Structure formats: C-alpha cells, structure tokens
C-alpha cells in the first residue's frame, strides 16, 4: 500500500494539535494579585533582584550585593551589611526604602514593588515587578524580583 506524501507532512501537525502535553497534568496553576502584601507580611522574607535583601524585623534588614550584576546599586565593601527599612503599602504597591549608615551604601534605595504573582500554584508570592531608585535620582528600568526565602501569601 502506498501512502501519499501529504500524509507524512500532516502527521506531525495532527499529533501536535491532538493535545499531547508530555504526560503531565494538563492544568497550569498560576495566579496574580493586584493587592500588595502588608509591611508585616514581608518580615522574615528574602527578595532577590540583583542585591539580596532579607527583612529580619519590622525595621531591620540585611543587604547583600556581592554578585553586583547591576553596578548602579550600592556595593558595600564588606559585602553583607545591616540596614534599616520602612515599608508602606498602598493598594497594589509596596514601597520599601532601605537606608544604611555604611559609608559605601550611599543614598537610600527605594523599591516600588507591584504585580504580585504565584507562578507555581502554592498560594505564595513567587515574583513581582520592582522599580528601584537611588535617592532622588531617576528610577532604573523595571526588573523582576523574586521571593527566595519565606515568601508571603498571595493576598
């Protein structure tokens, strides 16, 4: 029996359209929120977007930029430093201002965070958009930040 050439050309497309999903579950569970977590929700959390910041108490954090991919951010000579912060929630925006007395830290680092998403369906925030600014300078381009430790729940 001779099979027409068009059959071989259409076979891959038919298999693709048939819904083969690699054997895994067919559903994807990601969610997003327009509401920001509260200032208290981030205590104990760690975020990374170039520097790594761990919110240890309601006013204290650690700041580590030893990787220094983006040279605009403060690069303390000692690596990890202690800093203070204030966090203000306004609807879907959480604004965190980080200050340090370390002379190599320089101006305050202001982080405007929005766009909260749970990419793996566990109910916790995994990623967010972050707009960093140093002091009163113009903001840097928007980046994607991640909770890397103890993420808060998606509101």
């Amino acid at each position: 029996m001779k099979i027409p050439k068009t059959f071989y050309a259409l076979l891959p497309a038919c298999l693709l359209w048939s819904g083969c999903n690699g054997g895994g579950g067919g559903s994807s569970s990601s969610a997003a929120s327009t509401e920001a977590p509260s200032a208290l929700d981030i205590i104990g959390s760690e975020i990374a977007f170039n520097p790594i910041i761990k919110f240890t108490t309601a006013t204290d954090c650690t700041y580590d930029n030893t990787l220094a991919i983006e040279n605009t951010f403060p690069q303390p000579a000692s690596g990890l430093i202690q800093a203070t912060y204030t966090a203000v929630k306004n609807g879907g925006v959480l604004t965190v201002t980080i200050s340090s007395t370390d002379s190599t830290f320089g101006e305050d680092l202001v982080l405007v965070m929005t766009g909260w998403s749970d990419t793996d369906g566990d109910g916790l925030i995994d990623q967010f958009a972050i707009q960093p600014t140093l002091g009163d300078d113009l903001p840097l381009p928007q980046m994607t930040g991640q909770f890397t430790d103890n993420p808060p729940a998606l509101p």
Side-chain angles (χ1 to χ4, degrees):
M1 175 173 158
K2 188 171 182 179
I3 299 175
K5 291 180 183 179
T6 55
F7 174 80
Y8 291 113
L10 293 175
L11 183 61
C14 290
L15 291 174
L16 179 65
W17 292 328
S18 69
C20 177
N21 62 10
S27 65
S28 172
S29 56
S30 65
S33 176
T34 57
E35 190 68 21
S38 75
L40 295 176
D41 290 339
I42 64 170
I43 297 171
S45 295
E46 179 180 271
I47 63 169
F49 57 98
N50 183 41
I52 298 170
I53 300 164
K54 175 111 179 164
F55 303 103
T56 54
T57 71
T59 57
D60 296 316
C61 64
T62 59
Y63 175 93
D64 185 3
N65 194 18
T66 53
L67 298 177
I69 297 167
E70 169 61 63
N71 292 329
T72 309
F73 296 123
Q75 298 175 357
S78 60
L80 179 89
I81 62 165
Q82 299 295 317
T84 59
Y85 75 95
T86 59
V88 177
K89 175 186 172 181
N90 185 5
V93 178
L94 183 64
T95 302
V96 176
T97 303
I98 300 172
S99 306
S100 178
T101 57
D102 186 296
S103 62
T104 58
F105 190 80
E107 297 181 272
D108 290 352
L109 179 60
V110 179
L111 310 174
V112 177
M113 300 181 281
T114 59
W116 313 96
S117 63
D118 169 17
T119 58
D120 58 7
D122 63 358
L124 303 174
I125 299 171
D126 299 307
Q127 293 184 340
F128 52 91
I130 188 165
Q131 183 81 54
T133 306
L134 285 172
D136 58 1
D137 296 339
L138 291 175
L140 296 168
Q142 183 171 301
M143 303 174 177
T144 299
Q146 298 179 325
F147 280 97
T148 54
D149 188 28
N150 196 29
L154 188 68

